[in-house]
């Protein structure tokens, strides 16, 4: 490893478009061939009369059927494996934010490649072997724990596997161990900052932080800026999902101009979620990923349900891997209220523009007198709680700004700091209590 190099894997990170395409075709053909060891894919291909030899170019990808989360559930637990179980060394099971569990199997090679991918991301944002990397993710089935752990070790950083929760201990570790980089979900960073303030810790004065990796849940650009201002360091967006190993799939570089998705590991498609046809660059669609180097459980054209768009295929940092916009959220996170489609992140974006508000908010949907309504509760900073006139004016301003964004008028409730639930892991932003009419 050359500490001065901006690239950990220059041979892959600096490939030209032509070289990326060539490598992808090669790896795709090998992957499809390997998938025939999986009873699931063998049957799928036979059903539509497709043979691995029919895949000759990247365009041929479109001949292949999609794989869905439902397929993973239907084959639970091991029906998708492309290797015998004795070759597997680990499984991760997703609780499924939205349903039954799914299982992802890994061989030793898969674990190694995953660590390489995460190490590459961390290197890209400036981490080197003399850094101290603290991970505040839960260790266990949640891939943000072990995924970052192995990646940061692979890079050679001193790792602090602090795991989730216990904010006072997290802050003590940061101070005592000279932590220079932290990985956390964005909602937890704001929580940590509040605890620092309550305990007289000034991150700029008392900590050696250089870099934050924030991800695992949707967040707005406004939220990122807020986090950067709180801690006085750059916060880089990290995207991943258990089906694609975990973290390490897409990561921002120091330009902060979108997520680089590693195309030596994945083929990226953006499709219209209704027609399943590809959408032009710049247009929002569903992210579909094909794995290119997975052994235990390769996935072909996996529908992630995450909505995003292509921003470009080159970057001043020297990497030509595809750049995608931050995720809007998953198609199943979308709120449909009185026929209007709303993503929680749209609401967050507005709330974060009011500096009187803290970062914790909760959207509740209810049915009152046969009408569906949205209530947005958001915490305010202490100094406002006794100025009723100002509170009322602020509530009005927020309501108006939200209406401009989502085209519906929500009820806005300002609540004291600390009164909304906080989670150690991914934040729960929406509670749906609407009546369902059958
Ligand atoms: P679960 O499916 O149980 O939520 P995962 O950890 O696999 O477990 O979650 C992956 C999902 O988390 C992604 O599909 C995406 O919706 C969300 N996600 C992960 N990272 C980000 C990010 N940086 N921005 C927005 N959403 C993200
Ligand atoms: Zn870049």
């Amino acid at each position: 490893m050359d500490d001065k190099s901006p690239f950990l894997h220059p041979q892959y990170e600096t490939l030209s478009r032509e070289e990326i395409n060539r490598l992808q075709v090669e790896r795709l053909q090998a992957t499809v061939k390997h998938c025939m060891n999986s009873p699931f894919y063998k049957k799928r291909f036979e059903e539509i009369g497709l043979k691995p030899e029919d895949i000759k170019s990247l365009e041929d990808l479109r001949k292949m059927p999609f794989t869905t989360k439902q397929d993973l559930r239907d084959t639970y637990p091991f029906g998708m494996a492309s290797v015998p179980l004795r070759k597997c060394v680990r499984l991760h099971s997703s609780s499924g934010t939205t349903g039954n569990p799914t299982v992802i199997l890994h061989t030793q090679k898969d674990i190694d490649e995953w660590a390489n991918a995460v190490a590459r991301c961390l290197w890209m944002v400036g981490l080197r072997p003399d850094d101290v990397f603290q991970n505040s993710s839960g260790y266990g089935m949640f891939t943000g724990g072990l995924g970052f752990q192995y990646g940061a070790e692979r890079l050679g950083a001193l790792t602090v596997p602090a795991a989730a929760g216990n904010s006072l201990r997290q802050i003590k570790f940061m101070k005592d161990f000279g932590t220079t980089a932290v990985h956390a979900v964005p909602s937890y960073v704001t929580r940590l900052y509040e605890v620092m303030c309550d305990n007289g810790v000034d991150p700029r004065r008392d900590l050696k932080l250089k870099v934050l990796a924030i991800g695992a849940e949707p967040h707005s650009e406004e939220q990122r800026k807020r986090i950067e201002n709180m801690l006085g360091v750059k916060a880089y967006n990290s995207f991943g999902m258990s089906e694609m190993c975990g973290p390490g799939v897409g990561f921002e570089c120091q330009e902060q101009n979108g997520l680089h998705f590693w195309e030596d590991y994945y083929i990226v498609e953006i499709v219209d979620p209704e027609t399943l046809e590809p959408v032009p660059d710049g247009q929002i669609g569903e992210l579909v990923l094909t794995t290119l180097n997975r052994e235990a459980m390769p996935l072909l054209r996996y529908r992630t349900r995450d909505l995003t768009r292509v921003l470009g295929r080159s970057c001043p940092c020297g990497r030509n891997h595809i750049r995608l916009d931050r995720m809007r959220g998953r198609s199943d996170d979308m709120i449909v209220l009185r026929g209007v489609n709303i993503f929680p992140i749209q609401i967050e974006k507005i709330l974060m523009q009011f500096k009187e508000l803290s970062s914790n908010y909760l959207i509740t949907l209810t049915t009152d007198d046969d009408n569906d309504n949205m209530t947005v509760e958001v915490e305010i900073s202490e100094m406002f709680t006794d100025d009723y006139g100002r509170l009322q004016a602020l509530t009005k301003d927020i309501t108006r700004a939200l209406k401009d964004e989502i085209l519906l008028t929500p009820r806005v409730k300002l609540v004291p700091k600390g009164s909304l639930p906080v989670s150690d892991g991914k934040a729960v932003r929406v509670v749906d209590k609407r009546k369902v009419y059958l």
Side-chain angles (χ1 to χ4, degrees):
M1 279 188 236
D2 168 11
D3 277 15
K4 299 245 162 38
S5 169
F7 308 108
L8 181 60
H9 308 133
Q11 69 278 34
Y12 292 115
E13 287 174 77
T14 61
L15 292 174
S16 67
R17 179 52 37 194
E18 294 69 41
E19 289 166 331
I20 290 177
N21 288 354
R22 210 173 312 132
L23 182 71
Q24 286 194 324
V25 174
E26 225 170 79
R27 291 193 172 180
L28 176 64
Q29 287 174 324
T31 297
V32 172
K33 215 163 140 203
H34 179 50
C35 278
M36 294 307 111
N37 295 316
S38 139
F40 170 81
Y41 279 119
K42 193 166 185 304
K43 186 157 165 267
R44 270 270 158 105
F45 271 56
E46 279 169 5
E47 273 165 8
I48 57 166
L50 189 66
K51 296 195 179 63
E53 310 81 78
D54 297 335
I55 306 299
K56 298 192 182 74
S57 68
L58 290 179
E59 287 69 52
D60 290 337
L61 188 69
R62 291 179 58 195
K63 295 182 180 160
M64 304 197 302
F66 291 93
T67 308
T68 63
K69 191 140 194 159
Q70 193 56 43
D71 293 328
L72 295 185
R73 290 184 181 135
D74 293 345
T75 54
Y76 176 89
F78 304 136
M80 280 243 178
S82 290
V83 298
L85 273 189
R86 61 178 302 279
K87 274 204 81 179
C88 298
V89 298
R90 197 194 303 165
L91 69 77
H92 279 274
S93 175
S94 160
S95 57
T97 327
T98 47
N100 289 326
T102 53
V103 163
I104 302 296
L105 291 160
H106 300 274
T107 62
Q108 186 56 54
K109 178 170 171 286
D110 291 331
I111 298 284
D112 281 347
E113 287 286 8
W114 179 14
N116 285 335
V118 175
R120 184 193 291 182
C121 296
L122 294 174
W123 189 279
M124 178 164 71
V125 296
L127 260 77
R128 295 293 181 272
D130 41 18
D131 276 295
V132 181
F133 175 86
Q134 185 166 327
N135 191 5
S136 72
S137 281
Y139 279 63
M141 287 302 182
F142 178 51
T143 54
L146 290 173
F148 269 102
Q149 181 64 32
Y150 280 57
E153 281 178 12
R154 174 64 46 89
L155 176 140
L158 171 60
T159 58
V160 184
N166 202 339
S167 304
L168 279 174
R169 196 181 61 152
Q170 297 276 1
I171 296 163
K172 182 172 168 53
F173 284 172
M174 287 178 176
K175 274 191 354 199
D176 296 353
F177 304 151
T179 298
T180 56
V182 167
H183 168 246
V185 292
S187 48
Y188 189 61
V189 182
T190 54
R191 173 77 195 134
L192 266 182
Y193 178 69
E194 282 169 8
V195 178
M196 285 180 196
C197 293
D198 291 347
N199 288 277
V201 175
D202 174 351
R204 286 176 172 80
R205 185 192 62 204
D206 304 323
L207 304 179
K208 295 206 176 105
L209 270 187
K210 281 190 340 205
V211 167
L212 288 176
I214 53 170
E217 64 185 15
H219 55 286
S220 54
E221 186 60 33
E222 287 73 12
Q223 168 90 304
R224 180 243 290 277
K225 291 217 179 84
R226 213 170 231 246
I227 287 174
E228 292 191 332
N229 287 335
M230 284 171 180
L231 296 181
V233 294
K234 291 277 179 204
Y236 296 100
N237 190 359
S238 153
F239 175 85
M241 68 179 65
S242 352
E243 297 91 319
M244 298 292 134
C245 285
V249 182
F251 215 90
E252 277 180 326
C253 71
Q254 293 177 343
E255 303 287 331
Q256 294 186 311
N257 57 358
L259 297 152
H260 283 290
F261 270 62
W262 301 123
E263 290 185 276
D264 50 329
Y265 284 80
Y266 305 98
I267 297 178
V268 175
E269 295 174 86
I270 309 286
V271 303
D272 179 319
E274 302 290 323
T275 64
L276 300 181
E277 290 298 318
V279 301
D281 283 5
Q283 199 171 306
I284 300 269
E286 179 176 345
L287 172 68
V288 172
L289 295 172
T290 297
T291 64
L292 290 177
N293 65 346
R294 287 270 288 287
E295 210 172 40
M297 221 175 120
L299 293 174
L300 304 176
R301 305 193 83 196
Y302 183 69
R303 290 188 59 183
T304 66
R305 297 191 284 189
D306 285 308
L307 299 173
T308 182
R309 62 191 176 126
V310 175
L311 294 179
R313 287 183 179 77
S314 63
C315 179
C317 75
R319 295 171 182 88
N320 300 311
H321 294 256
I322 196 164
R323 267 187 305 114
L324 302 185
D325 203 357
R326 61 175 63 251
M327 303 293 144
R328 288 273 149 119
R330 281 185 184 171
S331 45
D332 34 63
D333 292 336
M334 190 173 74
I335 298 167
V336 184
L337 188 72
R338 299 191 221 148
V340 180
N341 299 345
I342 305 158
F343 281 100
I345 202 170
Q346 290 176 272
I347 294 178
E348 177 185 294
K349 186 175 88 180
I350 300 297
L351 298 177
M352 292 303 121
Q353 288 164 9
F354 289 87
K355 53 181 187 321
E356 300 89 341
L357 303 179
S358 97
S359 301
N360 204 8
Y361 66 96
L362 183 68
I363 301 164
T364 308
L365 308 171
T366 49
T367 308
D368 320 290
D369 302 328
D370 289 344
N371 275 325
D372 287 344
N373 288 308
M374 174 189 287
T375 305
V376 178
E377 288 173 279
V378 55
E379 293 183 4
I380 40 166
S381 47
E382 271 111 325
M383 55 194 181
F384 276 98
T385 35
D386 46 8
D387 189 342
Y388 186 68
R390 242 178 122 180
L391 279 180
Q392 261 198 327
L394 181 63
T395 309
K396 241 174 143 177
D397 289 347
I398 299 169
T399 310
R400 194 172 315 125
L402 283 173
K403 178 167 188 247
D404 287 345
E405 172 70 28
I406 63 172
L407 310 175
L408 287 174
T409 309
R411 282 186 208 134
V412 173
K413 270 195 202 162
L414 303 183
V415 299
K417 214 159 119 189
S419 52
L420 294 176
V422 267
S423 143
D424 280 348
K426 301 187 189 213
V428 177
R429 298 298 194 192
V430 183
V431 179
D432 194 346
K433 297 180 179 167
R434 283 176 292 184
K435 275 191 207 143
V436 182
Y437 298 97
L438 296 172

